[in-house]
Amino acid sequence: MDFARKAKWTFFVVTTLFSLVQPLSANHTSINDTAIEMIHVGLILDAQSWVGKIVDSCISMAISDFYSRNHHYQTKLVVHTRDSGGDPLLLLSQALVLLENFKLDAIFVAENSAGVKILADFGSRVKIPIILLFAAGQSLSSFEYPHLIQIGEDESSRAKAIAAIVEAFSWRSAILIYEDNDSARPILSNVTGFHLDQHVALLTSSTDEEIVEQLVKLMSLQMTVYVVHMSPILASRLFLNAKQLGMMTQGYAWITTDMITNFMNSMDPSVFESMQGVVGFKPHIPASKQLRKFAIRWRSKNLNDSTWFGQVRKFASYDMVWAVATAAERVMTRHPHILHQETRLNMNFTTIRSSESGLLFMDELLQSRFKGISGGFQLTNGRLIPKEIEIVNVFKGERIIGYWNPENGIASIMKEENHTETNSTSSSKLEGVIWPGGTMSIPKGWSLRGKRLRIGVPVTNQFRELISVVHDPQTNDIIVTGFCVDVFKEAVQRLDYEVHYDFIPFEDANGLMAGSYDDLILQVYHKNYDAVVGDITIISRRFAYVDFTQPFTDLGIGVVVPKINNDIWVFLKPLCGDLWITAAAFFIFTGVVIWFIERPINEEFQGSPSKQIGMIFWYSFSTLVFAHKPYIELSLLGKLDANLELKEKLLSNLSKFVVIIWVFVVLIITSSYTATLASMLTVKQIQLSSRDNDVWVSSDISNFTFETRRRRANHSPEEYADALKRGSKNGGVSAIINEIPYLKVFLAKYPSDYTMIKLKAITGGFGFVFPKRSPLVQDISSAIMRLREEKRLEMMENKWFNSESSFTTLDPESNPNRLNIHSFGGLFLVTGISSISALVVCLFQKRQSIKIHLNSSVDSLKGYFNVKIIGRQKERS
């Protein structure tokens, strides 16, 4: 039977106590004027608690102030106060007494006991507003309890504000410490926006020894960010014990909700001293003249009162009384006959008067809008929620460092900045925070606390260049070396804090590896190791148990095969037939163009017909050899001394222009030919080796599409070489499929006998293993990225692998495409137009030269004949 269903039995018990219960005190307002309609409201509180005392005084001030300003009103609140003593059973008993003796229109409750939930349900049944001056958590929603009114933000808003702070300071997670009651427990299900690493529940009755026991457990964890959500009394004991344990020192971060921060100033000085460096939330109250006047009057009235009720609770309680008084006047004005009616509601155990005006009161309260001392008064879903939350820092006092609201997130204390940036969670918007220990350095959110990490390493010794474990028999020391170890050490050195660690071999009593790589990884999951360093492949299924850093090796896998070739005509296959014919035609055409341009002016292109034909073919085809040489340009201008290099000197600028364009075309064709031929040879060999042959495949590689019999095994480089040398027919293998780092080590030892092609990246490379959500993952990953950017990883690879190879990513299931005429159509078009243009210009120049020569010849003949004619004329005369 749940708590709500026990209500009937509770009512049956408490009705027997009616005759024993007496009023705590006289009414706050005497009834002398019969012309004024008296509106009766109940107030139930713990008279011995400082909260109860302040609420009683605050409500008295509110009633006095309201009616001194509104003396003409026709209604007047009469408050009937009862003492619950903090007992949930007595709380319900007092409510029944009030309803039996008075026609109540509302009940104020100033405590947060378990009986509040039943009282809220009770209010819905008798149809009068139940006003909680102490928030009771999200579980008491307006949908379940339509006659319930609460003060303060709900658990969802609290959780969002906490998440904003956690995100602002870039903390990855936090630990929640809460009081295990109906008021604080709901926050657990509302935490969003950050990871809750762990949560600890404390009972109100927990002893100091039990609190210390829980804190010691938290100290053994790496996380140092704590969110505290509990009553001020329990929080006082928590922080006193935390300080004694050294948990209020540098490196720690404590965040408190408004349940604590609202009552900070009322705590004992020793408690306040223990909370130095705490960051907390409390509702924001805008400054106003009305607020200042109230504060002055409050201090003068409660000068000798050492307690201090939370400002928002006090001011909101004051405003709530004004709202009830205003609602009473409106009901009287609009529905005067309702206030004089009384009906009875049968509750099975007794007959209790029910106020028919309760619904009207509730409607008027929900519609109330006015500016009170706590700011704008407006109920949202039956709750008075502050429009903005203050973010405060406790250090030798309490100071505001920023604000938070659901619309804009974190905002600066400079109000004008609130409208310029929205959804901000940046800590730069906050004033400088003084953290525990008096430092302004932002806590990392976690700490190793001097702990030496136990780092597991695999004991295979097959690829010693990657990871090697050696036991020194003389000193009994364990020496761990290799590429993986060097990368880890370099990454740790790049951190801005010290990390102490010991390498622990994962071995059995015989010095052999104590299981598979998956077994080694599970040791981290079971907290036997703090991390694993070695040739650990990043695979998706392993993320269910651990986290990986960024990979520090190449991604993907490769295939190694012997360097052999059985096709003597393979060199013709990179180019299609049409491309071979077109290329040959352009070689000849280019040679003819150069010969035609150079022959009239260059003696080296003259001679017998056979010599000139040979020069055409020689000059054009020789560009195949010299197209890639950087000094080909020199050969255009003069002779080179090397025997196999061009010696023919070009004289015409037109022929030089043609050669430059043609050399560019030849360079592209030869480069493409070389790349395609290399790919064809490698893929051809892989296909030949894998088809109907045995292939060794690493056990970490799955879903690979080779159609072959596979042996899933891990072997040493020497075993790889031996198996490949014997071949599949002699008990060996025809190919090795493994991850790139392993094959790099192998090729570094046998570079001349084997070749490799890099295939699809179906594995994630090697990474370091850490527990789930370990803060070291991000820091080590960042260090690895810096090592990669600074080329330190490349230098370490060259040191251990002695390899600077680069690989082409290809699909072994299909041949690379052959090159055809369409691949180089644009190049041939460019060189064709260039050659023809040069030829046209040359013909035009020759025509002009011939024309000039003919004109000069004609002029010479004319002059000759003129001389002859003149001579004859002289002879005749």
Side-chain angles (χ1 to χ4, degrees), residues 559 683 686-687 704-706 757 759-760 810-815:
V559 181
V683 174
I686 292 175
Q687 292 174 337
F704 201 70
T705 56
F706 270 127
I757 185 171
L759 303 177
K760 296 178 180 178
L810 292 174
D811 185 356
E813 300 299 320
S814 61
N815 284 320

Side-chain angles (χ1 to χ4, degrees), residues 522-577:
L522 286 176
Q523 298 303 309
V524 177
Y525 178 74
H526 294 305
K527 299 183 179 180
N528 295 325
Y529 292 146
D530 298 308
V532 170
V533 170
D535 50 338
I536 309 299
T537 304
I538 300 175
I539 304 175
S540 59
R541 58 181 170 83
R542 292 174 173 172
F543 278 98
Y545 306 98
V546 296
D547 280 343
F548 287 89
T549 62
Q550 286 284 334
F552 56 89
T553 62
D554 292 327
L555 307 185
I557 60 175
V559 181
V560 169
V561 294
K563 292 181 179 179
I564 57 174
N565 181 38
N566 297 324
D567 189 353
I568 63 174
W569 301 107
V570 69
F571 69 92
L572 294 175
K573 293 185 177 180
L575 306 184
C576 294

Side-chain angles (χ1 to χ4, degrees), residues 575 579 668-669 672 819-829:
L575 306 184
L579 184 55
I668 294 178
I669 293 176
S672 302
L819 303 176
N820 53 39
I821 185 63
H822 298 289
S823 303
F824 301 96
L827 289 175
F828 288 123
L829 182 63

Side-chain angles (χ1 to χ4, degrees), residues 385-602:
I385 301 176
K387 300 297 186 295
E388 200 164 37
I389 295 176
E390 295 177 359
I391 305 173
V392 300
N393 181 213
V394 180
F395 192 80
K396 297 180 179 179
E398 184 181 297
R399 63 190 182 92
I400 301 174
I401 59 174
Y403 299 96
W404 179 87
N405 60 69
E407 292 77 22
N408 300 325
I410 292 179
S412 169
I413 60 175
M414 303 298 293
K415 291 296 185 180
E416 57 269 19
E417 295 182 11
N418 294 352
H419 305 288
T420 58
E421 297 184 32
T422 59
N423 297 324
S424 172
T425 58
S426 173
S427 60
S428 62
K429 282 186 163 292
L430 298 174
E431 296 294 305
V433 180
I434 301 177
W435 301 98
T439 178
M440 297 190 69
S441 299
I442 299 175
K444 296 193 301 291
W446 65 277
S447 174
L448 296 175
R449 299 188 179 93
K451 176 183 177 181
R452 294 190 70 86
L453 300 182
R454 291 172 50 86
I455 299 180
V457 292
V459 184
T460 60
N461 290 332
Q462 293 175 341
F463 287 83
R464 294 180 178 272
E465 291 81 0
L466 294 174
I467 186 77
S468 174
V469 178
V470 177
H471 292 267
D472 190 333
Q474 297 180 351
T475 61
N476 202 29
D477 291 337
I478 300 174
I479 304 174
V480 183
T481 58
F483 170 70
C484 300
V485 175
D486 280 3
V487 174
F488 179 77
K489 290 180 177 179
E490 284 273 357
V492 169
Q493 290 178 0
R494 298 301 178 98
L495 302 179
D496 56 0
Y497 51 89
E498 290 187 359
V499 176
H500 304 283
Y501 54 86
D502 295 314
F503 290 119
I504 311 296
F506 182 56
E507 59 185 1
D508 55 21
N510 299 321
L512 302 176
M513 189 155 170
S516 65
Y517 276 75
D518 285 341
D519 295 330
L520 174 57
I521 291 173
L522 286 176
Q523 298 303 309
V524 177
Y525 178 74
H526 294 305
K527 299 183 179 180
N528 295 325
Y529 292 146
D530 298 308
V532 170
V533 170
D535 50 338
I536 309 299
T537 304
I538 300 175
I539 304 175
S540 59
R541 58 181 170 83
R542 292 174 173 172
F543 278 98
Y545 306 98
V546 296
D547 280 343
F548 287 89
T549 62
Q550 286 284 334
F552 56 89
T553 62
D554 292 327
L555 307 185
I557 60 175
V559 181
V560 169
V561 294
K563 292 181 179 179
I564 57 174
N565 181 38
N566 297 324
D567 189 353
I568 63 174
W569 301 107
V570 69
F571 69 92
L572 294 175
K573 293 185 177 180
L575 306 184
C576 294
D578 56 352
L579 184 55
W580 280 114
I581 295 173
T582 304
F586 267 86
F587 272 108
I588 297 173
F589 174 69
T590 303
V592 171
V593 171
I594 295 173
W595 168 80
F596 185 83
I597 296 173
E598 289 289 328
R599 180 177 175 274
I601 58 176
N602 195 336

Side-chain angles (χ1 to χ4, degrees), residues 586 589-590 658 661-662 665 826-836:
F586 267 86
F589 174 69
T590 303
V658 172
I661 299 299
W662 176 243
V665 173
L827 289 175
F828 288 123
L829 182 63
V830 170
T831 187
I833 294 175
S834 302
S835 298
I836 293 174

Side-chain angles (χ1 to χ4, degrees), residues 755-768:
T755 186
M756 180 183 76
I757 185 171
K758 185 177 180 180
L759 303 177
K760 296 178 180 178
I762 63 173
T763 61
F766 293 165
F768 301 126

Side-chain angles (χ1 to χ4, degrees), residues 624-660:
L624 282 172
V625 180
F626 305 113
H628 66 283
K629 292 185 177 293
Y631 44 77
I632 183 64
E633 185 177 353
L634 298 177
S635 68
L636 302 177
L637 305 176
K639 295 183 178 181
L640 296 175
D641 295 331
N643 293 331
L644 295 178
E645 295 174 352
L646 293 174
K647 295 183 179 181
E648 291 71 21
K649 180 180 180 181
L650 300 181
L651 301 179
S652 173
N653 289 332
L654 291 175
S655 59
K656 292 178 182 178
F657 169 73
V658 172
V659 169
I660 289 174

